[in-house]
């Protein structure tokens, strides 16, 4: 299959809308990461997403909608979901709510809940409006790889496997959406993202974070969010995270670096001085820059043929919680605490 890449302008969006209505899959920009879109109510089209990504069938998809009115056709909008929609939609917050029959089982991996999000990116909003469809869209990478934050990343992973990619430039946030369970009275964060637990608590009065968001599942433990069962966001290079006082961390990273043929060090900009003379990747000045760069740097390490990424642990506050969730999973929880 030939993959066409077009700008996410009016002509491109019209082409994408036609492709979706014809049951095809399309790579689309959103404010979080690029998504691989299909008509959410067309089970055959949705199977095309799983096929192109090589995604396990037990990992449910996020359904993108324009607004609450469209969401209502797909799910029961609980009072909590309503509060959170009012506060954060459109934006990088996915809400897990009880599904209605209209949603095919292939979308939810057989669960009786569905994950809904209303994205803010103008191109995908225009696509939702023009097509009138609800759009199922997981990240547009091969399953397990770092999520794509540019159209180049989508092409690198899915060229030849999907017919069309809309190029809307680099994604603003760079990390996948926050996923919160909104079936009960208190939101439970299943996957941290740019909408932080503190922000959710400010809107809903309270917020919990599922234990499994920040640690590996124990043997036989049920995953509150099925995606947590799978290795995720990982480059080919092995990642090790080192946690502790700055001088000790730097000494340990230098020792590990010396023992590795082709390593790099990935740290915040203000920590680069501790690693002079080594190959370094800067995550930037603050957590927003770090979120924006993380997946690009992972892909760059692979392009350079590096075998090991040594990273300093980040503070698990605000956006740092989401960054550490992705880093810990990419590292397969190889975390040294000093
Ligand atoms: P992705 O679209 O690749 O960012 O992945 C979507 C994530 O949303 C998956 O990892 C799922 O675990 C999570 N998710 C989707 N639907 C549900 C659901 N009904 N209940 C809990 N988590 C869900
Ligand atoms: Mg994904």
């Amino acid at each position: 299959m030939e993959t066409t890449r077009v700008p996410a302008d009016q002509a491109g969006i019209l082409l994408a809308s036609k492709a979706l209505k014809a049951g095809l899959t399309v790579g689309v920009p959103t404010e979080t990461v690029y998504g691989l879109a299909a008509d959410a109510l067309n089970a055959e089209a949705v199977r095309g997403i799983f096929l192109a990504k090589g995604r396990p069938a037990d990992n449910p998809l996020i359904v993108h909608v324009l607004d609450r009115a469209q969401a209502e056709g797909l799910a029961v909008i609980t009072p909590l979901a309503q509060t959170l929609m009012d506060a954060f939609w459109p934006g990088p917050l996915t809400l897990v709510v009880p599904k209605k029959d209209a949603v095919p089982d292939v979308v939810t991996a057989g669960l009786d809940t569905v994950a809904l999000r209303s994205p803010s990116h103008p191109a995908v909003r225009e696509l939702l409006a023009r097509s009138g469809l609800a759009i199922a869209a997981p990240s547009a990478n091969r399953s397990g790889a770092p999520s794509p934050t540019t159209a180049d990343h989508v092409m690198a992973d899915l060229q030849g496997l999907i017919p069309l990619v809309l190029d809307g430039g680099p994604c603003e946030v760079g990390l996948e959406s926050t996923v919160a369970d909104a079936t009960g009275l208190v939101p439970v964060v299943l996957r941290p993202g740019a909408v932080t637990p503190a922000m959710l608590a400010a809107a809903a009065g309270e917020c919990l974070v599922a234990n499994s968001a920040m640690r590996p599942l124990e043997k036989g433990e049920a995953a509150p969010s099925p995606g947590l069962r799978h290795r995720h966001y990982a480059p080919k290079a092995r990642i090790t995270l080192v946690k502790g006082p700055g001088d000790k961390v730097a000494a340990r990273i230098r020792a590990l670096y010396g023992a590795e043929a082709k390593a790099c060090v990935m740290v915040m900009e203000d920590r680069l001085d501790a690693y002079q003379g080594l190959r370094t990747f800067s995550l930037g000045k603050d957590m927003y820059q770090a979120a924006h760069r993380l997946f690009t740097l992972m892909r760059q390490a692979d392009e350079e043929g590096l075998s090991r990424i040594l990273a300093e642990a980040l503070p698990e506050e605000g956006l740092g919680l989401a960054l550490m969730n992705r880093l810990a999973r990419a590292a397969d929880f190889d975390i040294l605490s000093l």
Side-chain angles (χ1 to χ4, degrees):
M1 182 190 304
E2 181 109 6
T3 304
T4 309
R5 171 180 177 161
V6 296
D9 55 15
Q10 287 298 323
I13 289 165
L14 181 61
L15 208 59
S17 171
K18 284 185 177 158
L20 291 180
K21 285 185 183 169
L24 301 174
T25 58
V26 181
V28 298
T30 84
E31 71 276 23
T32 57
V33 301
Y34 274 73
L36 182 57
D39 174 356
L41 301 190
N42 178 342
E44 202 45 49
V46 172
R47 273 190 275 276
I49 294 177
F50 284 88
L51 205 67
K53 281 182 59 87
R55 184 177 176 102
D58 67 355
N59 194 358
L61 306 181
I62 293 170
V63 178
H64 296 74
V65 294
L66 202 53
D67 52 22
R68 184 213 148 106
Q70 194 180 15
E72 255 175 39
L74 307 172
V76 178
I77 309 306
T78 61
L80 174 60
Q82 180 64 61
T83 301
L84 297 176
M85 281 176 187
D86 289 344
F88 300 107
W89 276 17
L93 176 66
T94 297
L95 297 169
V96 173
V97 281
K99 90 173 192 82
K100 289 186 175 168
D101 289 343
V103 182
D105 282 341
V106 59
V107 171
T108 62
L111 296 174
D112 53 11
T113 51
V114 63
L116 297 180
R117 179 165 103 83
S118 184
S120 65
H121 193 291
V124 70
R125 292 195 70 76
E126 179 70 24
L127 182 58
L128 284 161
R130 189 182 275 270
S131 68
L133 300 174
I135 295 178
S139 50
N141 50 298
R142 286 286 291 173
S143 193
S147 293
T149 56
T150 65
D152 276 347
H153 296 164
V154 181
M155 291 298 277
D157 275 22
L158 298 178
Q159 188 158 29
L161 296 170
I162 61 174
L164 185 66
V165 178
L166 282 186
D167 185 349
C171 299
E172 188 188 326
V173 178
L175 290 182
E176 306 83 349
S177 60
T178 303
V179 178
D181 184 332
T183 57
L185 297 175
V186 175
V188 182
V189 173
L190 306 178
R191 174 177 76 183
V195 176
T196 63
M199 290 162 72
L200 292 167
E206 239 187 297
C207 177
L208 301 171
V209 179
N211 282 330
S212 50
M214 298 311 287
R215 60 158 178 76
L217 288 174
E218 278 157 30
K219 235 180 154 193
E221 181 181 0
S225 190
L228 297 174
R229 277 200 294 271
H230 305 286
R231 181 151 184 260
H232 242 122
Y233 319 116
K236 295 186 190 81
R238 175 179 164 200
I239 301 184
T240 299
L241 284 171
V242 188
K243 223 179 223 182
D247 49 343
K248 279 192 176 175
V249 167
R252 178 64 71 91
I253 286 185
R254 282 184 165 276
L256 290 167
Y257 188 100
E260 187 81 22
K262 289 192 98 182
C264 70
V265 179
M266 190 164 74
V267 291
M268 299 303 295
E269 190 176 293
D270 62 3
R271 292 287 301 156
L272 289 173
D273 277 352
Y275 301 98
Q276 276 174 21
L278 309 190
R279 175 81 182 94
T280 51
F281 285 161
S282 171
L283 283 167
K285 288 190 204 333
D286 56 34
M287 293 297 139
Y288 292 93
Q289 284 193 355
H292 191 73
R293 290 184 189 182
L294 178 68
F295 290 134
T296 297
L297 294 182
M298 285 186 190
R299 284 174 181 265
Q300 200 177 321
D302 281 349
E303 278 163 24
E304 292 185 20
L306 302 177
S307 56
R308 188 88 177 261
I309 299 172
L310 300 161
E312 291 190 351
L314 303 172
E316 293 179 13
E317 292 152 18
L319 198 48
L321 186 72
L323 278 156
M324 279 298 284
N325 166 278
R326 306 310 188 275
L327 274 166
R329 273 161 209 289
D332 216 1
F333 294 96
D334 183 9
I335 305 173
L336 304 175
S337 289
L338 304 180

